Amino acid sequence: MATRNNAKYSACGAVIYPSGGTVVRVDLGSGTQSYGTVHAGFEICALAISIDRSILATSDVAAEPQIAVWSTSNIEHGPNRVIRGPHLHAITLLAFDDNNRGLLASVGADENHTVAVHDIVSGFLLFSSSTTKCKPLSLCFGNGARELVIVGVKNVLFFAFAAGHAATRHARASFARIGRQGTLQAFLCCAYMPSDDCIVGTADGHLYVLGKSSHELEKSVKAHDGFIYSMDAPWCRTGQITSVILATGARDGDIKLWNNALDMVSKFTNRGAGPVRSVFFSADLSRVLVGSQAAAQVREFRASDGVPTSPPLAGGGAAAGELWALATHPSARHAATASDEGALVIWDLDATDVRNARKVGKLLPGACRALTFSPDGTILVACFVDARGTSGGDDMDYLTTKLKIDGLVQLMRAETGTLVSEFTDARKWMRDIKFSPDGRSLVAGDVGGNVHIFVSDDNGQFTRKATLSLSMGAAICSIDIGVDNRHVQISDEARTISYGDLYVGIAVPDSVVFQDTEWATWTSPFGWPVTGVHEVYARPNAGRYETDTLDARGSLEPALSLSCLSRSNSSRVVATGDHYGVFRLLRYPAIEGAVDATRIGVAHVGTVRRLAWTADDSHVISIGSQDRNVCVWHYEPDSTNFDALNYASIDVQDYDDAIDADGGRAMAAAVERAFKTRGDMGGQEEASDWVAALVPPSNLEQEDPGEPQLTLELDCAHGHRSDDIRGCVGYNAKGGIVYAAGALGIIYDSRTHTQCFQFHHRGSASLAGLSTGKEAVSSLADIISLTVSFDGRFAASGDQGYFAHVRVWDAMTGKTICVLPRHLRCGICALSFSCNSSQLAAIGGDIDHSYALYATRSGEWQDATRVSFGSGMRSRVFCAVFVGIETYPCFLGSEDGVEFAWPSACGGIRRRGGLFDRQRSPRVPILCAVRAQAVLTDVTDTRSEAFAALTGTASGSLYLWNGTKVKDHIPNAHDGPVYAIAAATKRGMYATAGRDGTVKTWNCQLQPIESFKLTEIGTPLLTPTAASLCFAAPFETKLLVVARSGEMCELTTYSGNVAILTEAHARRKKQATESHGLDVNPKYSDLYATSGDDGTVRIWSCGSRRCMAKVLPDVLGGAAVRSCSWAPDGIRLAIGLGGDPTDKARDGTFVLLQVVMGVDCSA
């Protein structure tokens, strides 16, 4: 039990505590458990319960930690609310208010240990402030929720809220004055007395009483010998002052009860369970719930005499170090575990009451890393290691000193733990050990790559027979023995499989001999029956195939994400665990190319160290090495639906690449692939070979160290990022086109064919720091969202950086007006100005798609301030637009519905879901939206709200929203998803574009006017599908159409004429997405050539800033073009094909082109 004050009674008397990343609730009547897993994969580091004990709050350790708010009566139903922000790294402390106002305080693990106060009903952030750089250790409300105290290392900090409530968002901070009566030290816990004085527990065992108003030390009481870890004031929950108003627990293992005068009422010990980490009174004050560090147990004691009321409710197993050893009984439903602290426990899996699950407990002479039962279940074998030489030994300081016992193997009676025999001549500790099916052979593998074989005589006495070196020095990770009792299979960390003969004690190098061998168990992560397991872990949605782990020297070394594997005894399924705590089931054999998997869940924090099946395959047991949890999973063979996640059965026609790539995901994936590829190529090669070959020129001129007298100015940028972002284009007040390309904001004047730029979206990391794909993605500063105000004066752009920026700039000149405060993370996926250009909505790309609303009072945006901030929808947000007459509400469309957002009091967000009609307008992903005029389908309806929106859906229909309801719809407006939509306010018409490659116009009654096919325009588009639409002011007769391949053209809605404005290379494939080739014409310096993975070669003119000629993909068969070079005559152009992982047949091919200006180039 590493955290403190984390075991509580609920309102109905159940006990709730955290276990790794799981919230556990134990019913004291039946002894059954229920679980909450919203923190799965992340360790719960804080827990708090409300005054009436009906609401529970938990927080975790994560880059973006979250707070889950639960009802204590039904933990298994999940949290009522999940709160995120404003903390980073972890939320280490939680506390509910003492007046039952629904307030929750939290403290983060950032540099300044930010404190925040939340409203648990709405989730709004009411108050936030930095504290100190010293580590905080406890948190408490007092004085009727008018005061908040934080105690920590050498400080006690009080916050007194203005007007007596945190909702005022203002507080006066002050430090406690300890003076000469006390010592400035670590303060570990705190509570309030009935007199509103604050009482603090210290590291030297004293209780300090701090005055109500002065916050000065008024009284000091010696309470314990050592750290006072925990404290509980039951009078706050009962509202009554009784003979006991305080309980304390300390490192000395004592629990003491105190009255209002801080006189000790009673004292009892923890019965040898080690330091007391948590104390909590029951509602009737008759029992005290105690959490202990040793054995990590939670136990009830009678408050009157300190006698335990029952066996431990939790724990009794591993409490320190790591948990490695696991074995299941060969016939009974029993499992044995042993940890680094030497705690051996045999668990009864049939026990319905968790208090009766601990069948046998014994303290072993050292850290145990492997266990196995004999085939008849009478003998239990344990393998030991010196815990001081392994990770996890630092938290075992309260244990007795162990002898150096690396390589010790002990055989003991399973029922009693009595020692039968032991072997001590091995030099390395054993990582795995197995009995042969007949029980006459015992095989153990150590971390030095040696296999030790023990055999028994007719009397059952084991002796060492042989030691084999099968794995070339790599640590052995699994052992499996054949049903013939003769052959053994060894796998090691070098990812090799070795075989041996137990009868003669030799290695067998030829693996063909074992082609048809039947193995009694299969725990090897390698081999033909489990090749499909590696296929599952190599999939993108399974995480990383490899991870970095610490070796014995503390150095990082690569290892498979797959950490353990175990086949069922029936040979029907195989269970796998990984370093991220994920548990999966697969059919056995899991053959590559024909594998499917069921992801059961995440119950562990960190590595799943070992898996084991019961004899009848009714349960599978998993243990976590870091969280030391033992999880028992019930297996029902007929309930495992492998076909539910059969990746091979996905219908290709149901997959939409544009929707999947939306929000800048395609570029992020491409950059990650690029850096991963470069990382795989090495980058670690020694430079000594080429450095040694360097020969400086003999006539080297004197170097001029001065700055070159040159200046560079960007003249033109070709291209528009439209393959994975939509709707990021608009017209400014002068008719110029505003759009984004990479990290540039561009303003293009089609009359003069000139551009001006907005330069200020830059990466957050230097190029030297881009060493991994993860860092590369986090430092992306490409613009992925852009919006232009209705009056055309302002533009706002958001980038793809992890700590993303939103910049407001002049839409005519590109000059930055302001950079908005950074409140959103993981990129800005949507932006929208209000109709009066005074409000701006920004949507973040984090898991909650948080909303931030900004405003300007002057109307010029130099004085921009944040109005509101809050969590949004968990589903992906595709579009955002203000639909009110002037400002709010803001309409948000996602893959799972619609929301309308308004700012609320105290800086929060008021959200309201959109209502669909199941029959006429079912719930489908909303991909694009525009403000509209409401169309009343019923003239007698006088309740219609004064805002409306027209939206395009993934099904191809158009939905017209009047207020928060769908009032009208046009089914099958397009054949496939509707990607873009635009409104001509003055003309009262709309334009839509979809995957079918058509652009359609509609009148205000949503009746079709015209339909234009992009495949039939004069100039062919590389991808004839529109990603963005926008009407040109002031007459709105021209419609700007941006294709997914980057071409930008103006369509005259009266005649259908199309004029191409700009073009560039594009993304046409998933894997090959880059542009590589570039060469300047040696004869005509105005010309240069480029080539890309889109299969095109383009000839550009610097003077005219246009593409003069191009080679289309059909000429080259669609192959990627990675290089180009002009001939000296300036007419012929050589190009090199290849580089596409899906078309390797073209690798190494080159083509010679004859360039003739004004026409397409020919080969």
Side-chain angles (χ1 to χ4, degrees):
M1 183 170 285
T3 57
R4 297 179 293 113
N5 299 312
N6 60 357
K8 310 289 183 182
Y9 284 109
S10 69
C12 61
V15 172
I16 301 176
Y17 60 89
S19 178
T22 305
V23 181
V24 182
R25 180 182 183 272
V26 180
D27 188 302
L28 294 183
S30 62
T32 57
Q33 294 179 332
S34 55
Y35 314 99
T37 58
V38 73
H39 297 287
F42 301 96
E43 184 178 8
I44 297 174
C45 59
L47 182 147
I49 199 164
S50 61
I51 293 297
D52 59 4
R53 302 187 306 282
S54 63
I55 303 296
L56 181 79
T58 56
S59 63
D60 56 30
V61 180
E64 296 182 19
Q66 63 182 9
I67 300 172
V69 181
W70 316 72
S71 170
T72 57
S73 60
N74 52 6
I75 293 292
E76 65 276 10
H77 292 168
N80 300 333
R81 178 173 293 278
V82 175
I83 302 173
R84 290 182 175 84
H87 303 296
L88 295 174
H89 310 311
I91 299 174
T92 57
L93 299 174
L94 292 173
F96 280 94
D97 69 281
D98 61 340
N99 206 20
N100 215 21
R101 294 184 180 181
L103 303 181
L104 177 66
S106 60
V107 176
D110 55 287
E111 184 180 5
N112 294 316
H113 299 104
T114 302
V115 61
V117 180
H118 313 266
D119 186 325
I120 62 171
V121 177
S122 63
F124 293 160
L125 177 65
L126 303 181
F127 172 78
S128 177
S129 173
S130 298
T131 58
T132 67
K133 295 186 182 297
C134 298
K135 183 178 180 180
L137 298 173
S138 188
L139 172 72
C140 183
F141 273 100
N143 197 11
R146 292 186 290 271
E147 189 174 78
L148 182 68
V149 61
I150 302 173
V151 301
V153 178
K154 295 186 177 182
N155 73 88
V156 178
L157 179 61
F158 290 89
F159 286 92
F161 297 110
H165 200 287
T168 58
R169 306 182 69 180
H170 295 285
R172 178 175 56 86
S174 60
F175 287 97
R177 293 185 288 273
I178 303 301
R180 296 182 179 180
Q181 297 185 47
T183 303
L184 201 60
Q185 56 188 302
F187 303 103
L188 291 93
C189 52
C190 58
Y192 274 84
M193 304 285 284
S195 60
D196 288 334
D197 292 336
C198 181
I199 185 168
V200 177
T202 69
D204 63 3
H206 283 79
L207 293 175
Y208 285 180
V209 179
L210 305 175
K212 172 182 177 181
S213 57
S214 64
H215 297 160
E216 293 183 359
L217 178 59
E218 296 181 350
K219 185 177 182 180
S220 176
V221 176
K222 179 63 175 178
H224 291 272
D225 295 328
F227 294 174
I228 301 178
Y229 283 138
S230 57
M231 182 181 294
D232 182 44
W235 73 270
C236 295
R237 297 185 294 275
T238 62
Q240 301 176 356
I241 301 176
T242 61
S243 59
V244 176
I245 58 98
L246 187 70
T248 58
R251 187 175 184 176
D252 55 13
D254 291 341
I255 300 98
K256 296 184 178 181
L257 310 183
W258 309 83
N259 62 17
N260 196 23
L262 286 188
D263 296 325
M264 188 176 66
V265 177
S266 63
K267 166 189 171 182
F268 53 92
T269 65
N270 199 17
R271 303 298 173 110
V276 177
R277 307 285 289 184
S278 178
V279 291
F280 196 80
F281 267 102
S282 62
D284 58 2
L285 305 183
S286 64
R287 290 162 294 149
V288 180
L289 189 65
V290 177
S292 308
Q293 182 170 344
Q297 70 179 18
V298 177
R299 200 171 192 180
E300 284 187 302
F301 292 84
R302 279 204 303 260
S304 58
D305 54 10
V307 176
T309 61
S310 68
L313 298 168
E322 296 186 4
L323 179 61
W324 281 60
L326 169 68
T328 51
H329 196 278
S331 57
R333 291 183 182 174
H334 296 161
T337 61
S339 66
D340 281 358
E341 63 175 347
L344 170 66
V345 180
I346 298 180
W347 307 91
D348 183 359
L349 305 182
D350 285 331
T352 58
D353 191 330
V354 67
R355 289 167 289 197
N356 300 326
R358 191 171 183 263
K359 185 173 180 290
V360 176
K362 176 181 172 61
L363 187 62
L364 298 175
C368 181
R369 287 293 173 95
L371 287 173
T372 188
F373 279 97
S374 63
D376 59 4
T378 60
I379 299 295
L380 181 63
V381 184
C383 303
F384 297 92
V385 61
D386 182 6
R388 295 169 296 181
T390 60
S391 59
D394 294 341
D395 54 354
M396 301 167 60
D397 56 346
Y398 61 90
L399 300 175
T400 58
T401 304
K402 310 280 191 305
L403 299 175
K404 184 171 178 58
I405 52 175
D406 275 358
L408 174 64
V409 177
Q410 283 189 349
L411 284 73
M412 63 191 79
R413 298 292 178 189
E415 291 296 328
T416 62
T418 305
L419 181 65
V420 175
S421 62
E422 67 179 14
F423 301 93
T424 60
D425 45 355
R427 295 294 180 265
K428 301 285 187 179
W429 60 275
M430 309 297 179
R431 185 158 172 180
D432 196 14
I433 188 167
K434 290 279 181 25
F435 272 100
S436 61
D438 62 1
R440 298 185 65 87
S441 299
L442 181 64
V443 183
D446 64 29
V447 294
N450 298 314
V451 177
H452 306 272
I453 303 173
F454 308 89
V455 295
S456 68
D457 56 20
D458 294 337
N459 298 322
Q461 297 296 320
F462 279 86
T463 58
R464 179 186 296 275
K465 178 179 182 179
T467 298
L468 306 179
S469 296
L470 299 180
S471 66
M472 303 301 291
I476 290 173
C477 57
S478 70
I479 297 174
D480 296 296
I481 301 176
V483 295
D484 58 3
N485 302 298
R486 178 172 183 174
H487 298 113
V488 61
Q489 173 182 261
I490 306 294
S491 62
D492 57 41
E493 289 189 347
R495 306 182 190 181
T496 61
I497 304 178
S498 307
Y499 301 94
D501 190 319
L502 298 180
Y503 285 1
V504 295
I506 62 172
V508 181
D510 189 2
S511 62
V512 178
V513 177
F514 305 96
Q515 183 176 0
D516 299 321
T517 300
E518 183 180 354
W519 301 99
T521 60
W522 191 286
T523 56
S524 171
F526 315 110
W528 176 84
V530 294
T531 53
V533 174
H534 295 265
E535 180 185 342
V536 170
Y537 277 87
R539 290 170 180 164
N541 62 344
R544 297 172 58 189
Y545 179 69
E546 290 187 338
T547 186
D548 292 328
T549 61
L550 290 174
D551 60 13
R553 297 179 299 276
S555 303
L556 285 175
E557 61 177 10
L560 287 175
S561 292
L562 174 66
S563 60
C564 59
L565 180 148
S566 180
R567 187 197 66 191
S568 65
N569 296 306
S570 63
S571 299
R572 294 184 58 186
V573 294
V574 61
T576 68
D578 60 28
H579 285 285
Y580 303 106
V582 181
F583 174 57
R584 290 180 172 89
L585 285 182
L586 298 89
R587 285 197 186 102
Y588 184 88
I591 306 171
E592 187 175 5
V595 65
D596 38 32
T598 295
R599 183 179 185 273
I600 301 301
V602 183
H604 295 284
V605 178
T607 303
V608 181
R609 180 53 62 190
R610 212 178 290 269
L611 295 164
W613 293 82
T614 56
D616 58 357
D617 287 345
S618 62
H619 297 81
V620 59
I621 298 93
S622 63
I623 60 172
S625 59
Q626 284 87 22
D627 62 8
R628 302 184 289 273
N629 283 347
V630 180
C631 295
V632 181
W633 308 79
H634 179 61
Y635 173 63
E636 297 179 0
D638 296 333
S639 67
T640 306
N641 182 15
F642 292 98
D643 295 328
L645 293 179
N646 190 350
Y647 296 90
S649 64
I650 295 177
D651 188 356
V652 177
Q653 295 181 353
D654 295 336
Y655 174 77
D656 192 295
D657 177 71
I659 297 176
D660 182 66
D662 197 58
R665 295 190 174 194
M667 178 67 75
V671 172
E672 185 173 4
R673 281 197 306 272
F675 276 92
K676 183 178 179 180
T677 302
R678 289 160 194 165
D680 293 341
M681 292 174 62
Q684 307 293 331
E685 293 86 358
E686 294 289 340
S688 57
D689 293 340
W690 62 268
V691 171
L694 293 179
V695 178
S698 59
N699 57 348
L700 184 64
E701 297 181 0
Q702 182 66 32
E703 182 180 358
D704 183 5
E707 182 179 344
Q709 299 301 311
L710 299 173
T711 58
L712 292 176
E713 181 179 351
L714 182 62
D715 181 63
C716 179
H718 296 289
H720 171 51
R721 184 175 177 181
S722 57
D723 56 346
D724 62 349
I725 60 175
R726 297 179 293 110
C728 295
V729 67
Y731 284 94
N732 64 17
K734 295 182 178 180
I737 301 172
V738 183
Y739 61 99
L744 292 173
I746 301 176
I747 304 167
Y748 170 69
D749 189 336
S750 59
R751 295 166 297 182
T752 61
H753 201 62
T754 58
Q755 297 175 335
C756 57
F757 307 97
Q758 212 283 334
F759 288 96
H760 301 290
H761 281 281
R762 297 173 181 171
S764 59
S766 65
L767 293 177
L770 299 181
S771 59
T772 65
K774 182 178 179 181
E775 291 175 350
V777 174
S778 67
S779 64
L780 278 178
D782 280 9
I783 296 173
I784 60 170
S785 56
L786 184 144
T787 184
V788 181
S789 63
F790 279 72
D791 56 12
R793 296 175 55 206
F794 308 107
S797 55
D799 60 47
Q800 201 165 356
Y802 181 81
F803 296 101
H805 292 85
V806 177
R807 296 180 179 271
V808 180
W809 38 285
D810 192 314
M812 271 75 75
T813 65
K815 294 182 179 180
T816 299
I817 297 176
C818 69
V819 180
L820 299 180
R822 292 193 296 182
H823 298 99
L824 302 176
R825 300 172 190 158
C826 304
I828 309 297
C829 62
L831 289 168
S832 179
F833 276 107
S834 63
C835 298
N836 61 6
S837 303
S838 65
Q839 309 285 332
L840 178 66
I843 314 301
D846 57 296
I847 192 172
D848 277 334
H849 296 96
S850 302
Y851 306 160
L853 305 178
Y854 303 91
T856 173
R857 292 186 177 182
S858 65
E860 300 299 326
W861 284 100
Q862 291 96 338
D863 58 343
T865 58
R866 190 193 75 179
V867 177
S868 299
F869 175 80
S871 299
M873 296 180 283
R874 297 298 294 270
S875 56
R876 286 178 60 192
V877 175
F878 291 116
C879 59
V881 61
F882 280 89
V883 295
I885 296 178
E886 290 188 350
T887 56
Y888 297 101
C890 182
F891 176 97
L892 297 108
S894 74
E895 63 181 351
D896 192 35
V898 163
E899 276 194 358
F900 296 83
W902 293 264
S904 69
C906 305
I909 302 287
R910 181 164 60 94
R911 299 158 53 193
R912 190 171 170 186
L915 301 178
F916 292 84
D917 187 329
R918 293 185 178 180
Q919 299 297 328
R920 299 175 64 250
S921 52
R923 184 184 297 269
V924 292
I926 304 298
L927 303 182
C928 52
V930 70
R931 180 176 174 271
Q933 295 180 353
V935 177
L936 297 182
T937 56
D938 184 0
V939 295
T940 63
D941 186 3
T942 59
R943 296 173 298 172
S944 298
E945 300 180 66
F947 55 87
L950 180 65
T951 61
T953 69
S955 64
S957 301
L958 298 178
Y959 288 179
L960 179 63
W961 298 77
N962 195 14
T964 58
K965 298 181 180 179
V966 177
K967 282 294 186 180
D968 199 2
H969 81 294
I970 306 298
N972 303 319
H974 285 269
D975 184 12
V978 180
Y979 289 152
I981 189 168
T985 308
K986 296 180 180 179
R987 295 180 60 191
M989 65 182 295
Y990 306 99
T992 59
R995 187 175 64 181
D996 54 7
T998 61
V999 177
K1000 297 182 179 182
T1001 56
W1002 313 77
N1003 62 18
C1004 61
Q1005 301 297 323
L1006 295 184
Q1007 297 171 342
I1009 301 175
E1010 295 286 349
S1011 179
F1012 308 96
K1013 285 189 172 294
L1014 297 181
T1015 55
E1016 298 176 358
I1017 64 176
T1019 302
L1021 303 178
L1022 201 59
T1023 304
T1025 302
S1028 302
L1029 297 175
C1030 185
F1031 279 100
F1035 305 109
E1036 299 178 340
T1037 58
K1038 291 183 178 182
L1039 179 66
L1040 182 66
V1041 180
V1042 180
R1044 281 195 62 198
S1045 50
E1047 295 92 347
M1048 190 179 297
C1049 54
E1050 282 187 328
L1051 170 67
T1052 303
T1053 56
Y1054 286 120
S1055 62
N1057 295 331
V1058 176
I1060 297 292
L1061 302 179
T1062 65
E1063 58 182 298
H1065 293 282
R1067 180 180 73 96
R1068 293 181 62 245
K1069 305 176 182 181
K1070 273 192 169 184
Q1071 298 295 326
T1073 61
E1074 302 178 6
S1075 295
H1076 283 263
L1078 172 65
D1079 195 29
V1080 178
N1081 193 299
K1083 189 173 183 180
Y1084 307 100
S1085 58
D1086 182 60
L1087 301 180
Y1088 61 96
T1090 61
S1091 63
D1093 288 348
D1094 58 357
T1096 65
V1097 180
R1098 300 173 188 264
I1099 312 299
W1100 307 84
S1101 170
C1102 295
S1104 61
R1105 306 186 186 93
R1106 294 184 184 276
C1107 179
M1108 309 301 295
K1110 61 184 174 182
V1111 178
L1112 296 178
D1114 295 342
V1115 177
L1116 304 174
V1121 185
R1122 286 290 174 100
S1123 59
C1124 61
S1125 179
W1126 288 97
D1129 59 9
I1131 298 176
R1132 292 170 297 166
L1133 181 67
I1135 60 173
L1137 308 183
D1140 185 354
T1142 62
D1143 186 17
K1144 294 187 177 181
R1146 303 300 183 96
D1147 289 358
T1149 305
F1150 73 92
V1151 177
L1152 192 63
L1153 301 175
Q1154 185 80 17
V1155 179
V1156 180
M1157 295 302 167
V1159 299
D1160 290 341
C1161 305
S1162 59

